[in-house]
Amino acid sequence: MNEGRIQKVKDWLKEEGYSLAFIHTTANVFYLSGLYTDPHERVLGVVVLPDGEPFMVCPGMERSQAKGAGWTHEIVGYSDSEDPWTKVQEALDSRGVTAASSIAVEKETLPYSRGEKLLGMFDGAKLVGAEELLNELRLIKEESELETLREAARLADYGVEVGVAALKEGVTEMEVLAKIEYELKKKGISQMSFSTMVLFGEKAGQPHGKPGLRKLQHGDFVLFDLGVVLDGYCSDITRTVAFGDLDEKRREIYDTVLQAQLKALEASKPGTRIGDLDVIARNHITEAGYGDNFPHRIGHGLGIDVHEFPSMSDNNDGVLREGMTYTIEPGIYIDDIGGVRIEDDVYVTADGHETLTKYPKELQIIK
């Protein structure tokens, strides 16, 4: 558990004059406590007070996991037949918290019914947003986080390597996908950071296509998009290769995406306006005549969540800072022809960037 992170939340509560914080998402509970778990429909949360000891409320079956993760403060456990909110009320009462004017929560994801439960504990209380603080805290990665992200990226590279090696005429998307995930599980990976994509031919022209039983044919693009969760942190890589000969149109598309990605990577350094990374890549693709075929932003923040703050869209006026991690993933998608996306995980260094994903990006034609 990182006491420094808890202290930053306490300091923020004092500065803002807020009464307490109830942090409930899997990612933010992990960030503050070290416990990475999905409680399903059950209540899980870390309660932080401006003054006084924080506590965790969690299903009783998770108590030992919380202790094992390093949480040293009180754990308020409950059984499936008990009301967790009564337990929360008792823990607050024991700390002398009998009144509250404002409760900081993750407003974008807190269920309405749970907001009602919190507000029902105190007359006249209101809910305020904690996302801005938590996003800012998680934005700059510590060295220990970076090391985990590097290893997660290495395993994503391995996943693509396995996928490429599994390509042969007549194999299905799902067969290749299964091989990737099987080999990663043999490495100890129990969870992918999102649903793995293996898309052949025209299906590679769908940015979020669904793998199925499409068989690999000569001349197809093959798009891999995958990532793993390692010790609570995510990776995310996309590579596109060709199977058999590739015509000039498809070669042009591939080279256009590759050059757009390299230009955005070159601009990845402290002080660069975040939105300019999108603009740089988009301008290159537009000048090549494919602007209408690049329908998504250049990337997204990366860390505990596979998509987290900041959004790497063209209207983001924030600037890159040392310690940020995000993806760069331009693409071109054309119905009936297919598509190309090339994505890397990027860490901003003091004077530039480090690309965490290393699998080769030069066009590969698999025979």
Side-chain angles (χ1 to χ4, degrees), residues 238-287:
T238 306
R239 290 292 187 268
T240 308
V241 302
F243 185 74
D245 293 334
L246 205 62
D247 61 33
E248 288 304 312
K249 177 72 169 179
R250 288 175 173 82
R251 287 177 183 269
E252 177 185 85
I253 291 169
Y254 191 95
D255 187 63
T256 300
V257 174
L258 176 59
Q259 294 306 314
Q261 207 242 9
L262 292 174
K263 286 184 176 183
L265 286 174
E266 184 179 5
S268 291
K269 56 189 175 182
T272 297
R273 177 181 173 272
I274 292 172
D276 285 350
L277 299 181
D278 185 287
V279 171
I280 288 167
R282 195 169 301 279
N283 284 348
H284 180 83
I285 290 173
T286 299
E287 288 167 7

Side-chain angles (χ1 to χ4, degrees), residues 2 5 141-150 233:
N2 192 323
R5 296 172 183 174
K141 304 303 188 286
E142 301 165 3
E143 185 60 33
S144 61
E145 295 178 287
L146 176 58
E147 286 304 311
T148 303
L149 286 165
R150 283 194 182 109
Y233 288 83

